[in-house]
Amino acid sequence: MENKFMPKKNIIGGIGKIKEKSFFEKAKEYKMEIAIGSAILISVVGVVIVMKNRDSFKTLINSSLVEEVLIGNQLDLGISEYVSKGLVSNLPIGSIDVREHIRNLPEGWKPSINKIELAEKMGYCLEENQTLVNAYTKIVA
């Protein structure tokens, strides 16, 4: 029979000693519950986001333009072919002429020998991590 004034025996410590577990010990002990709770929380947040934006998702899924663009990227179709097929007729299409310019390369990257020679012929002086970009036309929608 236990007296309420007598200290209880704790499994972890001795008589009268209570050893508190650290956060990581508790996390190890309850890792399955934490994983299940996290999965449920992420699922609920995902469902809420989808339900709030369901019209946008319906439009995206039902859009034949997305399908055609994905297929077109696999077949390497140009934007002019999409325009001729009438797939992007509702989008404003234009072009931008990009002039030749010097581009800074990421650290550790080096320009090709052809670009170095071309830059010298054109009168550009390239630094260590720079390359020359040729002029091109960019199609914008």
Side-chain angles (χ1 to χ4, degrees):
M1 184 157 137
E2 257 183 41
N3 187 349
K4 64 180 179 179
F5 297 108
M6 298 261 316
K8 294 182 181 179
K9 247 188 178 180
N10 192 342
I11 297 173
I12 296 172
I15 295 176
K17 295 180 183 175
I18 298 174
K19 182 179 176 187
E20 289 292 322
K21 292 183 181 179
S22 72
F23 173 78
F24 295 108
E25 289 173 341
K26 288 180 182 178
K28 279 183 182 178
E29 186 177 336
Y30 295 105
K31 64 183 169 187
M32 183 60 75
E33 290 85 355
I34 293 171
I36 292 171
S38 300
I40 291 171
L41 180 66
I42 290 170
S43 299
V44 168
V45 169
V47 167
V48 168
I49 289 172
V50 169
M51 293 305 291
K52 286 190 110 184
N53 299 308
R54 65 178 166 258
D55 292 334
S56 299
F57 283 110
K58 283 180 186 177
T59 305
L60 181 65
I61 291 169
N62 294 333
S63 173
S64 63
L65 178 62
V66 172
E67 244 176 70
E68 291 295 325
V69 168
L70 291 175
I71 292 169
N73 284 342
Q74 292 172 356
L75 299 176
D76 197 25
L77 296 176
I79 192 76
S80 59
E81 293 180 42
Y82 287 111
V83 173
S84 67
K85 289 181 178 180
L87 297 174
V88 289
S89 60
N90 59 341
L91 297 175
I93 304 234
S95 63
I96 298 174
D97 291 325
V98 179
R99 297 182 348 196
E100 64 190 22
H101 60 278
I102 295 176
R103 181 170 78 95
N104 292 327
L105 296 172
E107 214 170 293
W109 287 28
K110 304 226 183 274
S112 68
I113 296 172
N114 295 340
K115 291 291 184 174
I116 293 171
E117 291 172 356
L118 183 62
E120 286 175 0
K121 286 180 187 175
M122 299 177 92
Y124 292 109
C125 182
L126 296 179
E127 292 181 15
E128 191 173 321
N129 289 332
Q130 291 184 334
T131 189
L132 178 69
V133 177
N134 295 334
Y136 63 96
T137 301
K138 182 188 285 190
I139 303 294
V140 292

